[in-house]
Amino acid sequence: MDHFLTIFDLSTEEMKGLLKRAAKLKQLRQEGRLPKPLAGQNWALLFEKSSTRTRVSFEVGVNLLGGNAFYMSPDQIQLGRGEPLEDTARVLSRYVDGLVVRTFGHDRVKTLAQWGSIPVINGLTDLCHPCQLLADLLTVQERLGTVEDFKSAWIGDGNNMAYSWIASAAVLGFTLSLACPSGYDPAPTAMAKAKELGAKVEVVRDPGQAVAGADVINTDVFASMGQEAEAAQRLKDFAGFQINRELVEKANPGAVVLHCLPAHRGEEITEEVLEGPQSAVFDQAENRLHAQMAVLEALARR
Ligand code: CP
Ligand code: NVA
């Protein structure tokens, strides 16, 4: 593995290996016995969008593994004044050992990976959010004891998170049913790729149909970062696509409720469900740290 840009790049063995290692690193951290594979290394975080979880879990994760991490937003560096990504990639590669990037177009992380000579980790693009999926599936493993033999329901926008759930279903083989309003389907490229890999993935219009027989119920905000101007229209278009008690009761008993956070209570999910006994959202958020340490360790060049 040279970079970590999308779940589709992983083999089943690689993905299961990362999840297994993430669980082990979680245990080692609790025991105060983490290894230091990043000793002497410097990792840069280049973020063109806001972040709480991704930023902090990467900064802390790099530090826990013995390295140093620092944050840059485009307005603090010449990128924001028009310096090309290709030059930024080559210059940063002369100083740092790895790069975590959060940006808009997925092409931007690909360009940084292509022009630089250091590992690049995708910390979210408009297309996908692979780091989040490792944390989500670590949480599923903890709660259900499997990452292959379960059904997951996705309710709402066919966005970057949906893309990475589709890719994960393709790589691991679990069943995924996505309920999206018309006009908000997931990227056709994700569905086509997943189907080609034999994935058990479907898009339906009825959230009740998606959650029937589901062991995991999952959602995300109606308007992602960069879509603020569409927020009011989306709120109307997503009416009926809320995770609430009534919908949860249609899933398998004890189904695990996930949300990558930040959440908009009362929109895509009710306060009652988010804070309720079936919600695993804060374990899920914590697992970002452990899952990403597994990625950092796998990419660290010595
Ligand atoms: N879930 C997630 O990526 O959160 P942040 O936007 O806070 O990083
Ligand atoms: N889909 C959301 C995820 C945030 C973690 C966004 O892109 O804003």
Side-chain angles (χ1 to χ4, degrees):
M1 194 162 80
D2 294 328
H3 304 285
F4 184 66
L5 303 187
T6 164
I7 298 285
F8 275 122
D9 290 343
L10 299 176
S11 67
T12 308
E13 285 62 41
E14 276 175 324
M15 188 155 184
K16 284 205 244 170
L18 284 172
L19 291 167
K20 201 170 164 201
R21 186 61 184 159
K24 182 71 184 172
L25 289 167
K26 184 169 185 172
Q27 182 203 330
L28 290 173
R29 186 189 179 218
Q30 279 155 2
E31 295 168 1
R33 296 196 298 125
L34 275 175
K36 305 287 177 201
L38 303 191
Q41 295 200 1
N42 288 286
W43 281 65
L45 275 62
L46 174 55
F47 278 38
E48 300 190 295
K49 289 175 174 170
S50 304
S51 171
T52 299
R53 280 144 288 268
T54 309
R55 174 184 177 169
V56 177
S57 56
F58 267 111
E59 289 198 22
V60 171
V62 169
N63 276 286
L64 286 172
L65 297 179
N68 173 56
F70 61 94
Y71 179 87
M72 299 179 297
S73 58
D75 58 307
Q76 296 166 336
I77 61 171
Q78 300 289 9
L79 185 65
R81 295 180 57 250
E83 184 167 18
L85 273 177
E86 291 82 350
D87 295 2
T88 306
R90 283 176 287 180
V91 170
L92 290 176
S93 295
R94 303 293 176 112
Y95 304 133
V96 302
D97 300 283
L99 193 56
V100 183
V101 184
R102 168 166 286 200
T103 188
F104 294 87
H106 190 72
D107 279 356
R108 293 176 73 74
V109 286
K110 281 170 60 180
T111 301
L112 287 162
Q114 191 185 333
W115 285 84
S117 51
I118 51 173
V120 173
I121 297 176
N122 176 2
L124 181 146
T125 63
D126 290 345
L127 186 73
C128 58
H129 196 4
C131 291
Q132 181 70 53
L133 258 290
L134 290 182
D136 295 4
L137 289 161
L138 178 57
T139 313
V140 170
Q141 173 70 45
E142 290 170 348
R143 299 281 172 136
L144 302 180
T146 178
V147 289
E148 294 155 296
D149 189 18
F150 72 102
K151 179 183 173 184
S152 186
W154 175 268
I155 311 299
D157 193 13
N159 63 10
N160 44 8
M161 280 294 303
Y163 184 104
S164 291
W165 268 95
I166 293 165
S168 301
V171 172
L172 294 174
F174 60 82
T175 301
L176 176 64
S177 183
L178 303 104
C180 309
S182 173
Y184 295 98
D185 281 354
T189 48
M191 290 300 286
K193 223 173 190 172
K195 292 256 165 77
E196 221 178 273
L197 293 166
K200 291 171 268 175
V201 180
E202 61 170 5
V203 178
V204 298
R205 297 282 172 244
D206 173 15
Q209 190 184 336
V211 301
D215 309 293
V216 172
I217 315 172
N218 197 357
T219 191
D220 188 10
V221 289
F222 295 151
S224 286
M225 289 181 278
Q227 297 172 334
E228 289 77 8
E230 298 170 28
Q233 184 60 48
R234 283 173 169 263
L235 201 52
K236 286 185 205 149
D237 294 345
F238 284 87
F241 286 78
Q242 183 188 64
I243 297 187
N244 50 35
R245 195 200 317 179
E246 202 190 343
L247 190 66
V248 171
E249 281 170 359
K250 291 181 179 160
N252 282 347
V256 180
V257 174
L258 297 179
H259 191 310
C260 63
L261 303 178
H264 288 181
R265 290 164 168 81
E267 292 186 13
E268 76 276 3
I269 190 164
T270 57
E271 167 96 19
E272 184 189 18
V273 171
L274 192 79
E275 300 286 357
Q278 287 173 245
S279 167
V281 300
F282 294 104
D283 284 350
Q284 184 187 359
E286 178 191 329
N287 282 337
R288 295 294 303 276
L289 175 65
H290 314 299
Q292 288 157 197
M293 284 199 290
V295 175
L296 287 164
E297 189 186 57
L299 289 176
R301 291 179 190 162
R302 272 151 265 225

